[in-house]
Amino acid sequence: LLRHRWAEGRMQAALPDELLERLGRRVAASERRHSGEIRICVEAGLPMSYLWRHAPPRERAVTLFGKLRVWDTAHNNGVLIYLLLAEHAIEIVADRGIDAHVGSAEWAAMTQRMGTAFREGRFEDGITLALEEVSALLMTHFPLADDQPDTNELPDTPVVL
């Protein structure tokens, strides 16, 4: 409980406003190259209802996947990158359109690489790496045709809870 409340004070140090702005611009640039949607969500600590139930971070990530409407894209190719600072947890939740093309081992390897960067204190590098890897997968499986306009279905700005 204390770890989750203490993490709230570390949020600004780990993810300053300038970094969040840069990440939003990177998401927007990525989405101009494919029809997928990427959301980044960072949470300092789990809500009390999750802590009392000993709910895993994955459950929270799946819940936020729905609340942030990442599932609600035309091609079912939304991806949520979720970070829980208190638990040092990283979850990637992908909609069925992109998940059908990418195996669970590939998603796990991606979160492992992010975790390595985070343990070294390189938050921006870790998130940027994941964003680039998710973008590459979406460009491979859901590229935009030359004459196809980019429809931005979800906000690009990272969500901080």
Side-chain angles (χ1 to χ4, degrees):
L1 178 65
L2 292 175
R3 181 174 64 226
H4 285 262
R5 297 298 71 93
W6 179 75
E8 292 172 4
R10 293 187 16 198
M11 178 73 81
Q12 185 64 29
L15 297 162
D17 292 338
E18 308 83 51
L19 172 56
L20 295 173
E21 289 174 22
R22 281 193 302 274
L23 290 172
R25 287 192 303 271
R26 288 178 184 145
V27 168
S30 164
E31 290 179 357
R32 286 192 290 273
R33 300 178 299 180
H34 54 75
S35 66
E37 292 292 320
I38 302 171
R39 294 298 318 258
I40 298 171
C41 180
V42 183
E43 191 164 35
L46 288 172
M48 289 298 290
S49 62
Y50 285 77
L51 293 174
W52 291 126
R53 294 184 295 111
H54 302 285
R58 180 73 180 181
E59 182 180 324
R60 179 67 173 164
V62 170
T63 297
L64 289 170
F65 180 84
K67 284 187 175 187
L68 296 172
R69 302 184 61 84
V70 181
W71 59 268
D72 193 19
T73 61
H75 302 288
N76 299 313
N77 57 0
V79 178
L80 174 68
I81 301 171
Y82 172 75
L83 311 173
L84 177 61
L85 296 181
E87 297 284 333
H88 302 278
I90 303 162
E91 297 289 341
I92 297 177
V93 183
D95 205 348
R96 62 189 175 274
I98 184 66
D99 200 48
H101 297 285
V102 181
S104 59
E106 194 166 356
W107 294 122
M110 195 180 302
T111 59
Q112 190 172 26
R113 287 187 290 276
M114 281 179 68
T116 299
F118 291 167
R119 282 188 293 281
E120 295 170 357
R122 298 181 299 113
F123 292 102
E124 183 169 5
D125 293 344
I127 296 172
T128 300
L129 174 64
L131 181 57
E132 289 171 355
E133 290 184 28
V134 169
S135 295
L137 291 170
L138 289 167
M139 285 172 32
T140 298
H141 301 292
F142 295 93
L144 283 177
D146 291 335
D147 60 344
Q148 183 180 359
D150 172 39
T151 303
N152 196 13
E153 299 176 79
L154 297 171
D156 300 327
T157 307
V159 176
V160 178
L161 302 174

